[in-house]
Amino acid sequence: EADPHEVARAIVLRQLTAAPRSRRQLEDKLAQRGCDPEVAREVLDRMEAVGLVDDEAYAHMLVRSQQQGRGLARRGLAHELRRKGIDEEVAQQALADEVTPDGERARAEQLVAKKLRTMSGLDRQVKTRRLAGMLARKGYSGEVAYSVIREALDQDPEHQRD
């Protein structure tokens, strides 16, 4: 019979080869594969000690990639970190390091500008509603969303007063 530590180590390494993972995601995968919790803890402790499992680095990487790729706001990013099993304190530190209010607003402006290009011919109210919904799903506050939307629509040639 195979050594349980070797089996657990192989599972963890296979998971990490596919994509970066948080410790909790790896714990869940090991539990799903029927690995003894004590063996899982020992293997993951060792992986942390050698730097293969690092929730802080993972949280920073996740925040950067989700902000760039999906345009998530602070609230959306916090939800994503929780979903991946990142400790609240680690998550807050990663968000503080990676997300600035100005950067978040700039990203909202980019998202609105991109989406507006696909909305020609629609009524201002329809555009506002659709843009606000998109930003809300990404975690932007109503205050930021409506401010950015109002400015973008005021500058949109389609909505300029003659």
Side-chain angles (χ1 to χ4, degrees):
E1 189 171 313
D3 175 28
H5 287 81
E6 280 304 312
V7 171
R9 201 173 356 271
I11 291 169
V12 168
L13 291 173
R14 219 175 12 260
Q15 290 295 307
L16 291 173
T17 302
R21 307 249 192 254
S22 69
R23 181 178 175 118
R24 169 118 149 267
Q25 287 174 302
L26 294 169
E27 286 171 350
D28 292 347
K29 182 54 81 174
L30 289 170
Q32 179 185 341
R33 296 280 178 86
C35 185
D36 177 75
E38 185 60 31
V39 171
R41 188 185 59 71
E42 289 171 14
V43 168
L44 290 172
D45 285 350
R46 177 72 183 132
M47 294 290 182
E48 271 185 353
V50 297
L52 288 175
V53 176
D54 183 347
D55 278 1
E56 286 181 29
Y58 177 74
H60 281 80
M61 180 275 312
L62 187 71
V63 167
R64 280 192 304 275
S65 69
Q66 294 293 305
Q67 198 175 27
Q68 290 297 312
R70 293 178 51 202
L72 294 184
R74 184 181 204 85
R75 190 173 37 200
L77 292 165
H79 173 75
E80 202 59 29
L81 290 167
R82 262 192 312 278
R83 205 171 67 73
K84 302 282 187 180
I86 299 297
D87 176 69
E88 186 65 28
E89 196 174 306
V90 172
Q92 289 306 317
Q93 188 59 53
L95 290 169
D97 292 347
E98 302 289 339
V99 182
T100 65
D102 290 343
E104 189 171 79
R105 183 180 177 87
R107 189 65 178 123
E109 289 168 354
Q110 292 170 348
L111 291 166
V112 166
K114 182 179 178 185
K115 183 76 171 167
L116 262 178
R117 291 192 290 270
T118 69
M119 301 175 87
S120 63
L122 294 175
D123 181 63
R124 184 181 174 112
Q125 277 187 313
V126 172
K127 287 181 180 181
T128 300
R129 190 175 60 244
R130 289 184 182 176
L131 291 167
M134 174 204 48
L135 291 176
R137 285 187 298 279
K138 292 184 180 292
Y140 289 88
S141 71
E143 181 183 341
V144 168
Y146 283 106
S147 169
V148 167
I149 292 167
R150 191 171 24 264
E151 286 176 21
L153 291 178
D154 287 348
Q155 293 171 6
D156 189 0
E158 208 173 295
H159 296 287
Q160 301 277 319
R161 299 201 194 277
D162 295 327

